[in-house]
Amino acid sequence: MTFSEENYLKTIYHLTAVSDADISTNAIAEKMETKASSVTDMLKKLSEKDLVNYVKYQGVSLTEKGKLAAKMIVRKHRLWECFLVEKLDFSWDEVHEIAEQLEHIKSEKLINKLDDFLGNPTEDPHGDPIPDANGRIIKVEKQLLSEFEKNQMGICVGVKDTSSDFLKYLDKQEIALGSQIEIIEKESFDSSFRIRVGNKEITVSNKIASNIYIK
Amino acid sequence: MTFSEENYLKTIYHLTAVSDADISTNAIAEKMETKASSVTDMLKKLSEKDLVNYVKYQGVSLTEKGKLAAKMIVRKHRLWECFLVEKLDFSWDEVHEIAEQLEHIKSEKLINKLDDFLGNPTEDPHGDPIPDANGRIIKVEKQLLSEFEKNQMGICVGVKDTSSDFLKYLDKQEIALGSQIEIIEKESFDSSFRIRVGNKEITVSNKIASNIYIK
DNA sequence: TATAATTTTTAGCTTTGTCTAAATTTAATT
DNA sequence: AATTAAATTTAGACAAAGCTAAAAATTATA
């Protein structure tokens, strides 16, 4: 499988997680920052290889084979992110780009040894689950901070937006995986939140609160 | 720089280490298992980028820029090999193929952090030197076992042939980096050697002896 | 339900890196 | 020195993956 094919599968996998319905050509093109015509070409190719179910004009979904392949790429990506953060001391906003490259390294033995070396983690540095060697995923029930009400509290277990900008913002506010967060006030006007993180009180917008997972 | 460009630079670098003179198109083609015409095309491209000195029909050499780039690829390859053997517990005959992929990962920060994580090794698992971040190489004076005479002894510090077959043979004979080797007898008829490794005596052909470095 | 707007696909072109076959240059040999 | 042999380069073609522009299908709207 080529790098490009792997990137398409991964993108379709991630889009599927959100919407469930068949994925449109345009949605893929937008996410991959490419043109719809390029996507059409690739979908034909992936369909030939039985990795996706593709019907002209009707969108696309992953076959079981394609889903497993996509999960293996995600597995590699997230394990490498763990390695970068835990062993090489990268911060969580720096690892995505490098993992985008490392996820294409081909060696099952390598990835399984890496998995063991890291102590078989179940989540990456952003709180996203790591599929095991068979593609199984342990789902952790988690809620967005924005869905919480006044006086509730919980632990930050992940982020929805993993962009460098957002992660740097969280670093600045000293919000990290494992941070205890308590809702002090929910402003009904703009749905912003007054929260306590550790022993500091801060105000976060609804957009921020909609990208932090709490358990 | 593309993967392909990097592979050509690396090949020219390795061939230069052996012969010193300008490298021929055919030599590159043979080593890379490709066709001379493909090599010609790439040499033009690398020449355009000032990575090689190329004169039609006369062969090529690396420019300073090209040499540095090649050394950085070799650095990455050898550091990843160290990682695979020391941290992930691969054997020395398994790592080359995977390192061939990992050497193309682009991130200076990554490779320097990996270097530190490994304790800034100066040699890879086959005894080959690892260039530092500036391309400097610490040369260890070493001799081929085949150049030794009766009753001399030394420590195995590297191998010339790093093929999986040869390394597996060495494993079988319990010859590893750091093994003490003593020449008991040199057979003048076929230049084979009777040697002691640890406390075992074995006979090795001249071909074997010509691929083991001793200090 | 026609028509307009949007989405998707097709057709044809580009680049990268490869190949084969033919042409050219260099080296070797008589 | 002439001719043959070997090495190298050129010319032209191909596959992968991308693009633009035009055509076709679907969806939305009046």
Side-chain angles (χ1 to χ4, degrees):
Chain A
M1 196 151 33
T2 65
F3 281 25
S4 191
E5 289 173 336
E6 291 190 341
N7 284 334
Y8 275 93
L9 283 184
K10 192 183 55 165
T11 300
I12 297 168
Y13 177 79
H14 286 314
L15 289 171
T16 304
V18 178
S19 85
D20 219 30
D22 277 14
I23 308 302
S24 74
T25 302
N26 262 3
I28 297 169
E30 195 181 356
K31 187 117 190 220
M32 297 188 71
E33 296 184 321
T34 183
K35 297 298 152 91
S37 56
S38 307
V39 175
T40 300
D41 287 347
M42 182 56 86
L43 293 183
K44 283 183 196 161
K45 198 176 154 194
L46 293 174
S47 182
E48 275 302 306
K49 296 189 175 188
D50 257 315
L51 292 162
V52 300
N53 304 116
Y54 169 59
V55 184
K56 261 191 190 186
Y57 295 102
Q58 307 297 218
V60 66
S61 63
L62 293 172
T63 61
E64 279 308 309
K65 188 176 159 193
K67 193 188 287 182
L68 183 60
K71 279 178 175 174
M72 288 303 115
I73 300 160
V74 170
R75 167 172 163 77
K76 289 196 269 183
H77 182 101
R78 292 181 179 164
L79 282 172
W80 280 116
E81 285 197 343
C82 286
F83 170 72
L84 295 173
V85 168
E86 284 165 31
K87 303 294 182 180
L88 298 195
D89 207 35
F90 276 91
S91 62
W92 68 347
D93 61 287
E94 299 176 298
V95 297
H96 186 75
E97 273 183 75
I98 302 176
E100 288 280 297
Q101 298 180 61
L102 287 164
E103 73 190 2
H104 299 297
I105 302 293
K106 279 158 192 61
S107 167
E108 245 187 86
K109 192 166 184 179
L110 168 63
I111 204 66
N112 291 333
K113 273 176 176 281
L114 180 67
D115 193 8
D116 289 343
F117 179 61
L118 297 169
N120 308 111
T122 56
E123 281 161 34
D124 78 7
H126 311 106
D128 292 316
I130 300 174
D132 72 15
N134 301 307
R136 253 183 286 278
I137 292 171
I138 297 170
K139 275 207 191 91
V140 176
E141 77 294 351
K142 57 192 177 185
Q143 276 182 278
L144 288 172
L145 175 55
S146 55
E147 295 163 350
F148 268 50
E149 298 302 330
K150 183 171 171 176
N151 293 328
Q152 279 191 281
M153 53 189 293
I155 303 286
C156 173
V157 293
V159 292
K160 193 168 165 195
D161 178 353
T162 59
S163 71
S164 183
D165 278 351
F166 181 57
L167 297 173
K168 277 182 183 154
Y169 167 84
L170 293 180
D171 280 344
K172 204 167 61 188
Q173 301 295 352
E174 296 178 35
I175 299 172
L177 252 53
S179 295
Q180 187 162 51
I181 296 178
E182 181 185 348
I183 284 78
I184 296 165
E185 197 68 63
K186 185 171 182 176
E187 182 55 61
S188 59
F189 176 66
D190 64 355
S191 298
S192 68
F193 289 81
R194 185 82 190 153
I195 63 175
R196 190 193 330 276
V197 182
N199 48 16
K200 276 187 192 151
E201 271 190 31
I202 57 170
T203 302
V204 298
S205 68
N206 187 265
K207 185 176 177 188
I208 298 291
S210 301
N211 279 295
I212 297 174
Y213 286 118
I214 303 286
K215 195 173 85 172
Chain B
M1 198 150 31
T2 66
F3 281 25
S4 191
E5 291 173 334
E6 291 189 340
N7 285 332
Y8 275 93
L9 283 185
K10 191 183 54 165
T11 300
I12 297 168
Y13 177 78
H14 287 314
L15 289 171
T16 303
V18 179
S19 85
D20 219 30
D22 277 16
I23 307 303
S24 74
T25 303
N26 263 3
I28 298 168
E30 195 181 355
K31 187 115 191 222
M32 298 189 71
E33 295 183 320
T34 182
K35 298 298 153 88
S37 56
S38 306
V39 175
T40 300
D41 287 346
M42 183 57 85
L43 293 183
K44 283 184 198 160
K45 198 176 155 195
L46 293 174
S47 182
E48 275 302 307
K49 295 188 175 189
D50 256 315
L51 293 162
V52 300
N53 305 115
Y54 169 58
V55 184
K56 260 194 191 185
Y57 295 102
Q58 306 297 177
V60 292
S61 61
L62 294 171
T63 60
E64 279 307 309
K65 188 175 159 194
K67 192 187 286 182
L68 184 61
K71 280 178 174 173
M72 287 304 114
I73 300 160
V74 169
R75 169 173 162 77
K76 288 195 268 182
H77 183 101
R78 293 182 178 163
L79 282 172
W80 280 116
E81 285 196 344
C82 286
F83 170 72
L84 295 172
V85 168
E86 283 165 32
K87 303 295 182 181
L88 298 195
D89 208 36
F90 275 92
S91 62
W92 66 348
D93 60 285
E94 299 176 299
V95 296
H96 186 74
E97 272 183 76
I98 301 176
E100 288 280 298
Q101 296 180 62
L102 287 165
E103 72 190 3
H104 299 296
I105 301 293
K106 277 158 194 63
S107 166
E108 245 187 88
K109 191 165 183 180
L110 168 63
I111 205 65
N112 292 333
K113 273 175 175 284
L114 181 66
D115 194 8
D116 289 344
F117 179 61
L118 297 168
N120 309 110
T122 56
E123 281 159 34
D124 78 7
H126 312 106
D128 294 316
I130 300 174
D132 72 14
N134 301 309
R136 253 183 285 279
I137 292 172
I138 296 170
K139 275 207 191 92
V140 176
E141 78 293 352
K142 57 192 177 184
Q143 276 182 277
L144 288 172
L145 176 54
S146 56
E147 296 162 350
F148 268 50
E149 298 301 332
K150 183 172 173 177
N151 293 328
Q152 279 191 280
M153 56 188 293
I155 303 288
C156 172
V157 293
V159 292
K160 193 170 164 195
D161 179 352
T162 58
S163 72
S164 182
D165 279 351
F166 182 57
L167 297 173
K168 276 181 183 154
Y169 167 83
L170 293 180
D171 279 344
K172 205 167 59 190
Q173 301 295 351
E174 296 179 33
I175 298 172
L177 254 52
S179 295
Q180 189 162 51
I181 296 179
E182 181 185 348
I183 285 77
I184 297 166
E185 197 69 64
K186 185 170 181 175
E187 182 56 61
S188 58
F189 176 65
D190 66 352
S191 297
S192 68
F193 290 81
R194 185 82 190 152
I195 62 174
R196 188 193 332 275
V197 183
N199 48 16
K200 274 185 194 152
E201 270 189 33
I202 58 170
T203 302
V204 297
S205 69
N206 186 266
K207 186 176 176 188
I208 298 291
S210 301
N211 280 295
I212 297 175
Y213 286 118
I214 303 288
K215 195 174 84 172

